Amino acid sequence: MKFYKFLYIGDTVTDPVKIKRKLKHHAGVQAYVITIAQGADQLEVFHSTYLKQKYYRYHPPIIVGIASNYDEAVQIVVKITQECQSATGTCNLKEYLKQKAKQTITTEH
């Protein structure tokens, strides 16, 4: 499992470290994840049990957010979209998240 450097965590998530550990080991956990979409879409929201499928062992998604329920996951997507809109003036979320991670790497050196 791959996690975004600046993982977005929902307000009602009580133990994100435990959830990340369970996701990495393909164990069952009651959470929703926000991932970067593989196709033309920007982001995808789905229940973490989908990650237990064999496909995701060989094609792990990049998880950018974790939420306790679907509504909270949608709120995280809205937050990411608002950040992207104010930072870039567009809604290209994939590119924004990629640049955000890249900028902090270059500013740290």
Side-chain angles (χ1 to χ4, degrees):
M1 212 57 51
K2 299 176 185 177
F3 291 93
Y4 183 62
K5 183 176 183 176
F6 302 105
L7 189 65
Y8 290 85
I9 305 293
D11 294 335
T12 61
V13 174
T14 54
D15 193 354
V17 174
K18 181 179 179 182
I19 291 173
K20 283 175 63 174
R21 186 178 64 246
K22 285 189 171 195
L23 289 172
K24 284 181 186 179
H25 292 93
H26 302 281
V29 61
Q30 291 298 316
Y32 280 81
V33 294
I34 299 104
T35 65
I36 295 178
Q38 299 291 333
D41 292 338
Q42 298 285 323
L43 299 175
E44 294 179 321
V45 175
F46 53 87
H47 197 273
S48 62
T49 54
Y50 284 104
L51 297 175
K52 292 175 74 174
Q53 296 176 23
K54 193 177 232 180
Y55 172 83
Y56 292 110
R57 289 181 188 247
Y58 301 106
H59 304 92
I62 298 172
I63 297 173
V64 296
I66 299 172
S68 294
N69 56 56
Y70 183 80
D71 291 335
E72 189 173 59
V74 171
Q75 289 174 352
I76 291 171
V77 171
V78 169
K79 178 181 177 181
I80 294 169
T81 305
Q82 290 171 340
E83 286 178 9
C84 178
Q85 178 68 36
S86 46
T88 66
T90 67
C91 286
N92 187 347
L93 305 181
K94 284 182 181 179
E95 188 62 29
Y96 167 71
L97 293 169
K98 183 175 148 183
Q99 292 301 320
K100 183 179 175 183
K102 195 181 285 186
Q103 284 177 350
T104 56
I105 292 171
T106 56
T107 56
E108 289 175 355
H109 293 239

